[in-house]
Amino acid sequence: MSAVAHDPQSDATDATSSSTPVEEPEKRKRQYKDFGHDDEKATHAKVDMSTIELKAEDLYDKEKVDLETIVIDDVFKLLQCTEEGLNQEEAHRRLELFGPNKLESEEQNPFLQFLSFMWNPLSWVMEAAALVAIVLSNGQGKPPDWPDFVGIVLLLFINSAIGFYEERNAGNAVKALMDSLAPKAKVRRDGQWSEIESSILVPGDMVSFKIGDIVPADCRLTEAINVSIDQAALTGESLPQSKKTGDQCFSGSTCKQGEAEGVVISTGPNTFFGRAASLVGQDDDTTGHLQKILAQIGSFCLVTIGIFVIAEIFVLYAGFRYRYRDGLDNILVLLIGGIPIAMPTVLSVTLAVGAQQLAKYKAIVTRITAIEELAGVTILCSDKTGTLTTNKLTIDRNTIQTYGPFSAEDVILLAAYASRTENQDAIDTSVVQALGDTARARAGIKLLDFKPFNPVDKRTEITYREESTGKLKRVTKGMTGIIIELCSRNKTEELEERLEKDVEDFAIRGLRALAVAYEELDGDDHEVEGNGFELIGLLAIFDPPRDDTKQTIDDALALGVRVKMVTGDQLAIAKETGRRLGLGDHMYPAKVLKDGPAPGSKFNNLDEMIMDADGFAGVFPEHKYEIVKRLQGLGHLCAMTGDGANDAPALSRANVGIAVEGATDAARGAADIVLTEPGLSTIVHAIRQSRIIFQRMRNYSIYACAVTIRIVMCFSILSFVYKFNFPPFMILIIALLNDGTIMTLSVDRVLPSMTPDSWDLTEIFSYAVAYGVYLTASTIALVCIIIQTSFFQDKFGVSLDSAPPISHNDPQLHMIVYLQVAIISQALIFVTRSHGFFFMERPSTALMAAFCLAQLISSIIAAYGNMGFTKIKAISGGWIGIVWIWNIIWFIPLDWVKFGMKATVIKAIRKRRERIVQETAATGVPLTRTQSRAASIHESLYSNRVSFIKRAARKVGFGGKISMKPEELQRFSSIQAQRVGQTLARNPSRTGGATPV
């Protein structure tokens, strides 16, 4: 591999040191910037190595001991091992101490998982209503209310089945990370090399790997021959990193070149890879955004129902002296009709259909509630390597510098000559592909000698015969500082100054420099020295943005979503990428997340800096996690895109984790949405589609809350005024028909918002109260006219079986009320789904067809439904016509109710919100809404449904398959030093397989 890629430590300086001249008596040595991590000098463990007992408090202090950076001799002493490896007995002992070299996974009992979907307050009330119908409804010689019981239980099981199916199909991030580990490892045990399962590696083992192998555990290299390691999936670095003796290699990274031996310093959950896995799903709070909203909507409905149920108990039993069973039927009406029984089911179907629609845009949804959260995303945190960029090195043709008679095309061609055409590394591939036609890399020349890259020379070299002239020529390419020293023909002070300036300009822009030199040979001996190398050009290498990334970012900004780059690459590279994408170059190094803003900066705190930043560079998994967490703490819904295992913790923490095309299994497992098409344009389609889905759910939420108020208020008032005993089964029919129709909202025709959506529950509840009260008035007015007057009988010639005065509990009156409530309640959806007049926004064909079918069924039931057990009786066609006309008359003003609410109550609510936001912006203090204790408890019931079931399962013996997650690892640096050192200190070696300390 070319020098720039393979020795990032060499000639690396920081931005300040390179620009500061150093006064020396002799001519100063020029510094040619290259990118890579700065050299970390090996240190000694600051502990007493003469004793075998190591104190835990010493090992917790990274300044005293760190297995990643201390000298190799100290590593062997601390781990009590030698280069001969462990013996089998000692290895077995350590396996028991440290555990297997794999990540723990958590399994769930499917049956308990299914039951967990019935663990929330809405389901409890549904279950309570079922118990009331089957257990408490025994009395006065009447049988249990089987019809209501069966209907309620059926809805419960449908809801649980849908939720169970969705959750079981979701990916398991920890399992995906575990599967990414190398299955086999070459290890030295009892002085002999053998191949074993990587899961039984232990700290202190000697391992070996070569090109193409996956590093089986975190290790320190004891021998390295031309080693290059691809860590892109772990650290986000776009280039493979060269490694030398003493360097650390991460578990899960891939050896791209060379051979190496090393001593294992950490395994399983203590590796860099394992610590990333431990961050996935770290928080105990498993409540999604939608679950929290459902909890609050559920609370509103439950409080409303509770108020009227208590009122009925006092009025009917204490006031009217109702008999037990009659009063219970009235309470059942409120429970069955008031609870939005199918709310979770309706929203699940809406989301499921939305997921199918997103699949058309090549976006696979693994956590279905993420669709709703995507609609409200305000900040998109994007990884750079492989996400914003192609993760394929490219020659930037626009910045090629030439230093002689050769053109830019000549420089590329000669550099391609000096590159391998087979078994290429990343830089050779980029140079050869820059030709356009890769065959030109060997066309017209005869290869005589080729020297591949090696860490000492830091360059490649080709000697060839030009077929057209028969002349021998030689070309070399590699690290700038090495190449210029070879250029005896044209090296001058002026050329060196120009080259140094060009290299520094490249470095400032985040471009890696690759120098190219050329010489001719006299005679026919290709092994002799030439007439001197001549510097002919400087190539700039970078990881280019994807073709559609800039447009995607612009589209995201137009939708009100701000994009921030979060990358493991260097700051200069991040800034250059940001400039090319129009993202901005307000980038900061990851260390500011720990140190905070510099004294005297324009930022008062770290949160302000994070909000201002266009991105962060040099980040590790815990940094990405911290950025997302802080943005969420400021009230933002965050999406995170990524493609590597290093992105998994942040993908899991984000409200919406998005794994881009080509992502690793680990990233896909942690993500909520997986893209199967290259580029980020799919995300914009997904955001728009999610906002359409959000509008459908909002429309349903207003409708469901309004129907709750309408049912409980209407039938409570009727029972208070007229001792009206409506049959519960008819309310169940209304609920079933309504929910069947509302399911079609999942494909309704709506327009997406151009700004991030949010659940303004105050607005939703205000609309619901207004609609509910209005519809209640429509029913009570009809009942009053029928009972108190003979208006309809006189005007339309209709009659009821009982002569006036009409009995308050006439079976035909019940049927009239049933039909009136069924029609106008369902028609309300046409008002809640529209922003203007209902007829100005055409509904979907499915919704319209479902409404017509439901009302046809309702009318047929009204005409022919003589069901004795319901105390209800069919009515004539005249009464059916009267009810339809009555509902049309009352339906038309519903739009004016909506407009009136917008002009008064909703306008006042929004003004108050804007004032609070302005005050918050002025003070710089993030807005936090105080939550009542009751609401907090209610929300926790949703968040802890699974954990509660698990605890219960363990107590009754069902939880045998459920294992605990790895403990939460808050300290990210050198955790393996703590674990390994502490364990060995407590359990000193009892065998001869380790070196005594």
Side-chain angles (χ1 to χ4, degrees):
M1 190 174 193
S2 298
V4 181
H6 295 278
D7 195 4
Q9 287 84 9
S10 301
D11 292 336
T13 59
D14 57 34
T16 55
S17 64
S18 66
S19 59
T20 305
V22 180
E23 295 182 5
E24 298 178 356
E26 302 293 330
K27 177 182 176 182
R28 70 181 180 88
K29 184 178 180 181
R30 299 183 184 276
Q31 300 292 323
Y32 297 97
K33 265 198 168 185
D34 184 39
F35 284 98
H37 295 297
D38 293 336
D39 280 326
E40 292 187 6
K41 295 185 181 298
T43 58
H44 287 278
K46 299 177 182 178
V47 292
D48 187 357
M49 303 297 288
S50 64
T51 63
I52 193 169
E53 295 289 338
L54 291 176
K55 296 181 180 179
E57 54 266 27
D58 289 338
L59 294 171
Y60 271 104
D61 189 348
K62 190 177 179 182
E63 293 182 357
K64 294 183 178 179
V65 58
D66 185 355
L67 291 175
E68 297 178 12
T69 58
I70 60 176
V71 295
I72 288 291
D73 288 345
D74 285 1
V75 172
F76 281 112
K77 288 180 182 179
L78 284 169
L79 295 181
Q80 304 173 28
C81 61
T82 70
E83 290 193 28
E84 293 300 310
L86 306 173
N87 59 37
Q88 291 293 348
E89 184 180 350
E90 175 68 5
H92 181 71
R93 185 183 77 90
R94 295 190 183 202
L95 185 63
E96 292 180 348
L97 292 177
F98 299 111
N101 180 34
K102 61 181 182 180
L103 306 184
E104 296 182 41
S105 61
E106 186 175 21
E107 297 179 8
Q108 292 185 356
N109 185 300
F111 177 68
L112 295 174
Q113 190 178 2
F114 176 80
L115 291 182
S116 71
F117 285 95
M118 298 184 189
W119 183 262
N120 64 70
L122 283 180
S123 294
W124 293 341
V125 176
M126 292 160 61
E127 291 151 12
L131 288 175
V132 168
I134 197 67
V135 177
L136 299 182
S137 293
N138 289 297
Q140 302 174 11
K142 299 177 181 178
D145 192 351
W146 288 105
D148 288 335
F149 173 78
V150 172
I152 295 170
V153 170
L154 185 63
L155 283 176
L156 267 173
F157 273 87
I158 290 173
N159 182 52
S160 293
I162 292 175
F164 173 78
Y165 175 78
E166 292 161 359
E167 192 165 286
R168 292 296 290 182
N169 283 343
N172 187 307
V174 175
K175 182 178 184 299
L177 282 164
M178 179 181 66
D179 292 342
S180 298
L181 289 173
K184 296 284 185 181
K186 191 175 182 181
V187 66
R188 194 170 193 171
R189 297 264 176 96
D190 293 320
Q192 300 292 323
W193 288 102
S194 61
E195 191 172 68
I196 63 171
E197 295 286 336
S198 65
S199 60
I200 59 176
L201 283 178
V202 294
D205 263 329
M206 290 297 298
V207 294
S208 171
F209 52 87
K210 61 184 183 305
I211 183 170
D213 291 344
I214 297 176
V215 180
D218 282 9
C219 58
R220 292 284 299 279
L221 298 185
T222 57
E223 183 178 335
I225 304 173
N226 199 18
V227 174
S228 176
I229 302 290
D230 182 1
Q231 302 176 163
L234 295 169
T235 63
E237 295 162 310
S238 54
L239 278 174
Q241 300 295 306
S242 61
K243 298 289 182 180
K244 61 182 184 298
T245 300
D247 286 349
Q248 182 182 20
C249 289
F250 295 131
S251 169
S253 55
T254 305
C255 181
K256 289 294 188 182
Q257 185 173 317
E259 296 183 8
E261 292 180 14
V263 57
V264 174
I265 61 173
S266 57
T267 58
N270 298 325
T271 62
F272 181 92
F273 208 25
R275 297 196 302 270
S278 72
L279 289 176
V280 176
Q282 185 186 81
D283 293 339
D284 289 334
D285 181 15
T286 56
T287 316
H289 186 249
L290 183 59
Q291 282 75 22
K292 293 180 180 180
I293 298 301
L294 279 175
Q296 294 177 68
I297 294 175
S299 297
F300 175 81
C301 295
L302 290 175
V303 169
T304 303
I305 294 166
I307 291 171
F308 285 96
V309 166
I310 292 172
E312 279 205 350
I313 290 173
F314 278 104
V315 173
L316 299 186
Y317 288 113
F320 296 157
R321 304 295 178 182
Y322 260 51
R323 298 173 69 187
Y324 168 73
R325 180 64 183 267
D326 293 337
L328 206 60
D329 284 348
N330 278 277
I331 292 173
L332 265 180
V333 167
L334 302 192
L335 292 178
I336 297 173
I339 284 291
I341 292 178
M343 176 180 281
T345 305
V346 171
L347 295 185
S348 294
V349 171
T350 301
L351 292 172
V353 172
Q356 294 173 2
Q357 293 170 338
L358 282 176
K360 296 177 182 177
Y361 294 106
K362 307 299 182 182
I364 299 172
V365 180
T366 61
R367 181 175 65 85
I368 205 159
T369 54
I371 297 174
E372 176 270 338
E373 294 175 39
L374 184 59
V377 161
T378 53
I379 293 180
L380 172 63
C381 294
S382 177
D383 183 46
K384 178 188 75 72
T385 307
T387 305
L388 296 176
T389 63
T390 62
N391 196 20
K392 294 179 181 177
L393 295 183
T394 302
I395 301 296
D396 189 351
R397 304 178 73 94
N398 297 324
T399 58
I400 294 175
Q401 299 293 322
T402 58
Y403 303 98
F406 294 91
S407 67
E409 288 297 325
D410 294 334
V411 172
I412 293 177
L413 180 61
L414 291 173
Y417 287 167
S419 303
R420 276 181 167 170
T421 55
E422 296 179 356
N423 197 19
Q424 296 170 308
D425 59 34
I427 288 184
D428 282 351
T429 300
S430 66
V431 173
V432 173
Q433 288 183 345
L435 290 175
D437 180 6
T438 56
R440 292 177 58 203
R442 290 294 180 265
I445 66 171
K446 181 180 179 181
L447 176 64
L448 301 177
D449 183 47
F450 187 88
K451 294 178 181 178
F453 168 85
N454 66 76
V456 177
D457 295 333
K458 300 176 183 176
R459 64 188 180 92
T460 63
E461 181 182 284
I462 185 174
T463 305
Y464 64 91
R465 185 185 302 278
E466 194 173 60
E467 293 179 348
S468 60
T469 63
K471 291 184 177 180
L472 297 185
K473 297 182 179 181
R474 186 174 290 147
V475 180
T476 184
K477 76 178 196 311
M479 179 173 287
T480 313
I482 298 294
I483 299 299
I484 189 63
E485 292 301 320
L486 299 174
C487 297
S488 57
R489 290 193 65 188
N490 66 340
K491 183 171 69 170
T492 63
E493 181 70 19
E494 181 183 356
L495 178 66
E496 287 191 86
E497 287 180 358
R498 182 185 167 194
L499 178 64
E500 185 177 22
K501 180 180 180 301
D502 289 340
V503 171
E504 189 159 325
D505 287 344
F506 279 5
I508 292 172
R509 297 182 57 187
L511 304 174
R512 295 171 183 259
L514 187 68
V516 184
Y518 158 90
E519 72 173 352
E520 295 184 355
L521 284 69
D522 296 327
D524 289 331
D525 187 358
H526 68 270
E527 294 182 354
V528 301
E529 291 187 7
N531 57 7
F533 277 108
E534 174 184 352
L535 181 67
I536 62 171
L538 195 67
L539 302 179
I541 305 175
F542 76 115
D543 182 12
R546 294 180 183 268
D547 293 338
D548 63 345
T549 300
K550 189 177 189 309
Q551 183 61 47
T552 298
I553 292 173
D554 292 342
D555 291 343
L557 292 173
L559 289 170
V561 179
R562 187 175 174 188
V563 181
K564 293 180 183 289
M565 181 196 302
V566 184
T567 177
D569 234 326
Q570 280 82 19
L571 183 61
I573 296 174
K575 286 187 174 184
E576 176 66 10
T577 304
R579 283 191 288 265
R580 289 177 183 248
L581 293 173
L583 190 62
D585 58 1
H586 287 185
M587 306 283 179
Y588 301 102
K591 67 179 182 180
V592 302
L593 296 171
K594 178 181 178 182
D595 301 339
S601 72
K602 63 178 181 179
F603 305 113
N604 297 318
N605 52 54
L606 181 57
D607 288 339
E608 286 186 12
M609 175 176 276
I610 291 176
M611 283 304 301
D612 174 77
D614 294 319
F616 293 90
V619 299
F620 284 96
E622 75 274 22
H623 297 137
K624 298 181 180 184
Y625 187 90
E626 179 69 16
I627 291 167
V628 172
K629 189 174 181 179
R630 281 185 172 272
L631 288 171
Q632 290 172 329
L634 292 172
H636 290 277
L637 287 184
C638 285
M640 168 75 187
T641 69
D643 67 337
N646 64 313
D647 300 319
L651 289 173
S652 175
R653 170 72 200 194
N655 299 93
V656 183
I658 304 170
V660 298
E661 191 269 340
T664 63
D665 288 342
R668 289 173 178 167
D672 305 308
I673 296 175
V674 178
L675 306 184
T676 59
E677 194 171 74
L680 297 182
S681 58
T682 304
I683 294 178
V684 175
H685 292 303
I687 290 174
R688 288 197 183 100
Q689 192 65 38
S690 68
R691 291 183 183 179
I692 289 174
I693 296 164
F694 179 92
Q695 290 298 323
R696 293 167 179 162
M697 291 191 295
R698 179 182 179 275
N699 296 342
Y700 170 74
S701 299
I702 296 174
Y703 168 81
C705 294
V707 169
T708 292
I709 293 172
R710 183 262 200 287
I711 294 291
V712 298
M713 182 179 289
C714 173
F715 288 101
S716 294
I717 292 174
L718 287 176
S719 64
F720 297 160
V721 176
Y722 293 116
K723 297 183 180 179
F724 194 82
N725 302 325
F726 194 74
F729 187 76
M730 300 311 294
I731 285 290
L732 186 59
I733 291 178
I734 291 174
L736 288 170
L737 289 175
N738 279 358
D739 293 336
T741 301
I742 297 306
M743 291 286 181
T744 60
L745 274 181
S746 60
V747 293
D748 191 24
R749 185 182 290 107
V750 296
L751 295 174
S753 168
M754 290 305 293
T755 56
D757 286 312
S758 61
W759 286 96
D760 194 317
L761 295 180
T762 306
E763 287 189 15
I764 290 175
F765 297 153
S766 298
Y767 278 123
V769 170
Y771 294 142
V773 170
Y774 180 82
L775 295 183
T776 295
S778 73
T779 304
I780 292 176
L782 178 63
V783 173
C784 287
I785 291 174
I786 293 175
I787 291 178
Q788 303 287 4
T789 72
S790 59
F791 174 78
F792 294 116
Q793 291 90 328
D794 296 339
K795 293 292 183 181
F796 302 102
V798 294
S799 63
L800 298 176
D801 287 348
S802 60
I806 303 298
S807 168
H808 297 177
N809 285 301
D810 184 288
Q812 288 183 308
L813 177 59
H814 286 169
M815 185 65 86
I816 292 172
V817 171
Y818 155 76
L819 184 61
Q820 193 273 336
V821 170
I823 294 172
I824 199 165
S825 294
Q826 207 170 97
L828 176 64
I829 191 61
F830 296 109
V831 175
T832 62
R833 66 172 295 279
S834 60
H835 298 282
F837 287 104
F838 76 92
F839 52 83
M840 298 296 291
E841 297 180 31
R842 184 165 63 91
S844 66
T845 304
L847 176 59
M848 199 66 209
F851 173 79
C852 294
L853 179 61
Q855 299 322 312
L856 177 62
I857 294 173
S858 295
S859 299
I860 291 173
I861 290 174
Y864 302 103
N866 290 307
M867 294 173 280
F869 70 91
T870 62
K871 297 181 183 177
I872 210 156
K873 192 172 181 181
I875 56 178
S876 66
W879 278 111
I880 294 175
I882 289 171
V883 171
W884 270 97
I885 294 171
W886 179 267
N887 281 338
I888 291 172
I889 292 172
W890 279 83
F891 175 77
I892 293 173
L894 269 172
D895 274 332
W896 295 104
V897 173
K898 175 172 61 184
F899 299 149
M901 287 293 295
K902 282 184 179 179
T904 55
V905 177
I906 304 303
K907 184 177 181 181
I909 291 171
R910 291 179 178 175
K911 279 188 175 179
R912 179 177 178 273
R913 189 190 315 125
E914 289 174 2
R915 186 174 66 253
I916 293 175
V917 170
Q918 290 172 355
E919 292 172 357
T920 302
T923 59
V925 180
L927 174 64
T928 55
R929 181 172 294 175
T930 304
Q931 191 175 36
S932 69
R933 179 174 174 78
S936 298
I937 294 173
H938 189 182
E939 184 177 297
S940 71
L941 295 174
Y942 283 83
S943 66
N944 295 324
R945 64 173 180 81
V946 176
S947 59
F948 175 86
I949 293 292
K950 287 178 186 174
R951 289 196 299 271
R954 294 189 189 104
K955 290 181 180 179
V956 299
F958 283 130
K961 289 187 177 181
I962 301 175
S963 61
M964 296 297 290
K965 289 182 180 178
E967 70 175 85
E968 184 172 299
L969 303 177
Q970 295 289 0
R971 181 180 172 89
F972 209 83
S973 59
S974 197
I975 190 73
Q976 70 271 28
Q978 303 168 25
R979 286 287 187 85
V980 174
Q982 283 181 292
T983 307
L984 285 177
R986 291 194 303 268
N987 302 273
S989 175
R990 297 187 297 273
T991 70
T995 301
V997 180

